[in-house]
Amino acid sequence: MNPGDRNPEQVAVLAPLGRDAELICRVLGEDLIDATSCPDLPGLLPLLASSAVAVVTEESLQTADISGLVAKIEAQPPWSDYPFILLTLRGGGQDRNPAAIRHMRALGNVTFLERPFHPMTLVSLVRTALASRRRQYQARDRLAALEASRAELARSDDRLKFALQAGRLGAWELDLVRMELNTSDQAKVNFGVSPEADLTYSGLMQLIHPRDRARVTEAVQVSIDSRADYEIEYRVLTGAGETRWVELRGRASYDGDQPIRMVGVSLDVTQRKFAEERQHLLIRELHHRVKNTLSTVQAIVGSTARGATTIDDFYRDFTGRIMSLANTHSILTEELWQRASLHDLLSKELDLYDDGHARVRVSGPEVELPSDYAVPLGMAFHELATNAAKYGALSNGEGHVDVTWSVDPDGDAKRLHLSWIEAGGPPVATPQRQGFGTRLLERVLTAQVKAEIGTDYDPGGLKLSMTFALPDPGRPTTPGLAP
């Protein structure tokens, strides 16, 4: 009963007695209808798959086992109702020909033709049955197309669901007549609510940041009035007190001029918005830092020039100070210009002089300094290390430098106490003129870091103490992100 790619138009003839089969095939052939006869009922069964109509004489079924034929008919697909034309010996009702009635019930789609009959009557019945069978083929094709369409729709729906899930896109639909909101689970998550929660339109408006609500309402109205796509980004406040950014895109549909619904997608863009804001802040901070660095370089040029007696002295001192500034900036940029370790600042300047004989000893608890403290302190350590290498404990093979610090509580704040002690070098004397290092310690550190500086030019080695209040660890070195 599965006709395959080509729709059968052949007529199967079962008339095993006499010349009936020959006559039927000839009559149909004269009207250009293809007909094939079979010798018995078992021979008819395979022809059902390659024929469209069967012409059967009543006597061929009277003593035959028709269970196989009945099974074939019952196994037909839903679209099929195979037609039979049954040639009877005599007419009348059920009481006169009960066998014909039984055959009709067994075969299903049966048309009776009483013998003798006019040849054109047979041709007309066969053509009517063929036309009916063609309509069944058409119904089969429509059902197949419908199933294929449903399967493609299901696949398309699966692809859409996968794309939405992969992109963390939430689907939403707003009934503009009743103002009823339907959202997917991901859309609810994007808005900061549980997937099991009942999110209504009024409930969504309550989630939107108060400063954004008017803008959201206006954007919806503009999109509807102008028939343009709805695109907006706004903040929502979650039940946990978290602020999120959500991007929505949608489009309204209309019944004539009446807007009836708006459908679209939502996406949580919190990380992107914060990254953009962070980038803008870093750019502004970079501009600020470049200006400060140029000002620092300008001050170094002036101070170095005033203290130098030769071009070579100027080049050497200036290069060293610029390298110190670069080292400090390197530490800061590794931490995105936030904080620098006090130990790292000292190591950058003193590790060069540590020859493995404990000539440089640095110890103290871990202290993180913001950038506006790290830059002047890094340069101060450079000046101290340079002076020690030129005139002090690191200028010979015997001296050493000990740098220690501690952190003590000072009310709600903390104070850092740092000691720089040199020993074993040439005798020390109070300098006759004020150099760059002295000016840096006395002016910059006292002004910018609010440090208290103590300097002792002990003949046995320079001793320097430095005390200042540590800034609050939570104090940002750049403006924080707006909530």
Side-chain angles (χ1 to χ4, degrees), residues 20 23 29 43 59 128 216 227 240 243 267 271 281-282 330 334 365 390 398 429 452 462 482:
D20 287 348
L23 294 173
E59 58 270 19
T128 299
V216 171
R227 300 197 176 213
T243 299
L267 177 64
Q271 295 301 319
L281 290 171
L282 288 177
S330 175
E334 288 175 359
K390 291 170 62 176
E398 300 177 0
E452 299 173 3
L462 174 68

Side-chain angles (χ1 to χ4, degrees), residues 111-129:
T111 301
F112 293 97
L113 178 60
E114 184 179 351
R115 292 177 287 182
F117 52 81
H118 193 281
M120 293 307 299
T121 303
L122 175 63
V123 170
S124 175
L125 290 177
V126 169
R127 288 204 171 277
T128 299

Side-chain angles (χ1 to χ4, degrees), residues 143-157:
L143 287 172
L146 180 61
E147 288 300 320
S149 176
R150 288 176 176 171
E152 178 57 30
L153 182 62
R155 289 191 294 269
S156 177
D157 186 55

Side-chain angles (χ1 to χ4, degrees), residues 244-304:
R244 291 189 182 181
W245 278 92
V246 182
E247 177 182 0
L248 268 73
R249 296 189 179 189
R251 180 177 296 174
S253 58
Y254 303 80
D255 182 6
D257 294 332
Q258 176 66 33
I260 55 175
R261 70 175 53 85
M262 179 179 283
V263 296
V265 295
S266 67
L267 177 64
D268 185 344
V269 294
T270 304
Q271 295 301 319
R272 192 199 76 200
K273 293 292 289 186
F274 281 2
E276 291 174 355
E277 189 171 357
R278 177 70 175 173
Q279 183 180 34
H280 294 157
L281 290 171
L282 288 177
I283 290 174
R284 291 198 297 269
E285 178 67 10
L286 177 61
H287 291 167
H288 172 69
R289 293 298 175 183
V290 168
K291 291 179 180 179
N292 284 351
T293 301
L294 291 175
S295 298
T296 302
V297 171
Q298 184 179 17
I300 292 174
V301 170
S303 296
T304 306

Side-chain angles (χ1 to χ4, degrees), residues 124-136:
S124 175
L125 290 177
V126 169
R127 288 204 171 277
T128 299
L130 287 173
S132 173
R133 191 60 171 167
R134 293 188 194 104
R135 288 191 292 272
Q136 294 177 29

Side-chain angles (χ1 to χ4, degrees), residues 63-390:
T63 60
D65 181 7
I66 65 172
S67 59
L69 178 61
V70 173
K72 281 277 189 181
I73 294 171
E74 291 177 347
Q76 293 181 100
W79 59 268
S80 178
D81 189 14
Y82 191 89
F84 290 89
I85 298 175
L86 186 63
L87 305 181
T88 62
L89 296 174
R90 49 199 170 124
Q94 182 175 2
D95 53 340
R96 295 181 57 189
N97 193 352
I101 299 302
R102 288 196 303 273
H103 294 151
M104 179 184 67
R105 292 172 178 171
L107 300 179
N109 185 7
V110 178
T111 301
F112 293 97
L113 178 60
E114 184 179 351
R115 292 177 287 182
F117 52 81
H118 193 281
M120 293 307 299
T121 303
L122 175 63
V123 170
S124 175
L125 290 177
V126 169
R127 288 204 171 277
T128 299
L130 287 173
S132 173
R133 191 60 171 167
R134 293 188 194 104
R135 288 191 292 272
Q136 294 177 29
Y137 296 150
Q138 293 171 357
R140 176 204 62 193
D141 294 341
R142 285 194 295 270
L143 287 172
L146 180 61
E147 288 300 320
S149 176
R150 288 176 176 171
E152 178 57 30
L153 182 62
R155 289 191 294 269
S156 177
D157 186 55
D158 289 340
R159 289 193 296 268
L160 177 59
K161 289 179 179 178
F162 175 78
L164 291 174
Q165 291 172 356
R168 302 191 312 278
L169 291 170
W172 56 269
E173 178 179 350
L174 177 61
D175 186 326
L176 297 173
V177 178
R178 294 185 292 271
M179 296 308 291
E180 294 179 353
L181 178 67
N182 290 316
T183 56
S184 67
D185 290 348
Q186 184 60 52
K188 294 177 183 178
V189 172
N190 290 343
F191 291 129
V193 300
S194 169
E196 294 78 21
D198 183 15
L199 183 60
T200 64
Y201 181 71
S202 60
L204 174 61
M205 293 303 294
Q206 292 299 315
L207 292 175
I208 297 174
H209 195 288
R211 296 181 181 177
D212 293 342
R213 288 175 190 165
R215 184 167 57 88
V216 171
T217 303
E218 180 183 4
V220 172
Q221 194 61 49
V222 169
S223 173
I224 293 173
D225 294 342
S226 62
R227 300 197 176 213
D229 287 350
Y230 172 63
E231 297 184 15
I232 192 172
E233 294 177 353
Y234 57 79
R235 293 166 292 178
V236 294
L237 302 175
T238 69
E242 176 187 5
T243 299
R244 291 189 182 181
W245 278 92
V246 182
E247 177 182 0
L248 268 73
R249 296 189 179 189
R251 180 177 296 174
S253 58
Y254 303 80
D255 182 6
D257 294 332
Q258 176 66 33
I260 55 175
R261 70 175 53 85
M262 179 179 283
V263 296
V265 295
S266 67
L267 177 64
D268 185 344
V269 294
T270 304
Q271 295 301 319
R272 192 199 76 200
K273 293 292 289 186
F274 281 2
E276 291 174 355
E277 189 171 357
R278 177 70 175 173
Q279 183 180 34
H280 294 157
L281 290 171
L282 288 177
I283 290 174
R284 291 198 297 269
E285 178 67 10
L286 177 61
H287 291 167
H288 172 69
R289 293 298 175 183
V290 168
K291 291 179 180 179
N292 284 351
T293 301
L294 291 175
S295 298
T296 302
V297 171
Q298 184 179 17
I300 292 174
V301 170
S303 296
T304 306
R306 286 191 295 271
T309 57
T310 66
I311 293 297
D312 290 341
D313 289 343
F314 172 82
Y315 177 78
R316 182 189 64 248
D317 294 342
F318 179 72
T319 302
R321 288 161 183 164
I322 291 299
M323 287 303 299
S324 172
L325 182 63
N327 288 336
T328 302
H329 283 197
S330 175
I331 296 173
L332 289 169
T333 53
E334 288 175 359
E335 298 295 331
L336 296 178
W337 209 277
Q338 292 301 300
R339 295 182 176 274
S341 165
L342 176 59
H343 189 278
D344 289 346
L345 290 178
L346 287 162
S347 296
K348 282 283 187 180
E349 302 299 337
L350 293 173
D351 283 354
L352 177 66
Y353 307 105
D354 190 357
D355 57 4
H357 295 84
R359 300 196 64 198
V360 175
R361 297 189 286 260
V362 176
S363 65
E366 183 62 30
V367 174
E368 296 288 328
L369 299 168
S371 57
D372 48 355
Y373 279 49
V375 171
L377 283 170
M379 296 192 67
F381 296 148
H382 170 75
E383 293 301 319
L384 289 169
T386 300
N387 288 337
K390 291 170 62 176

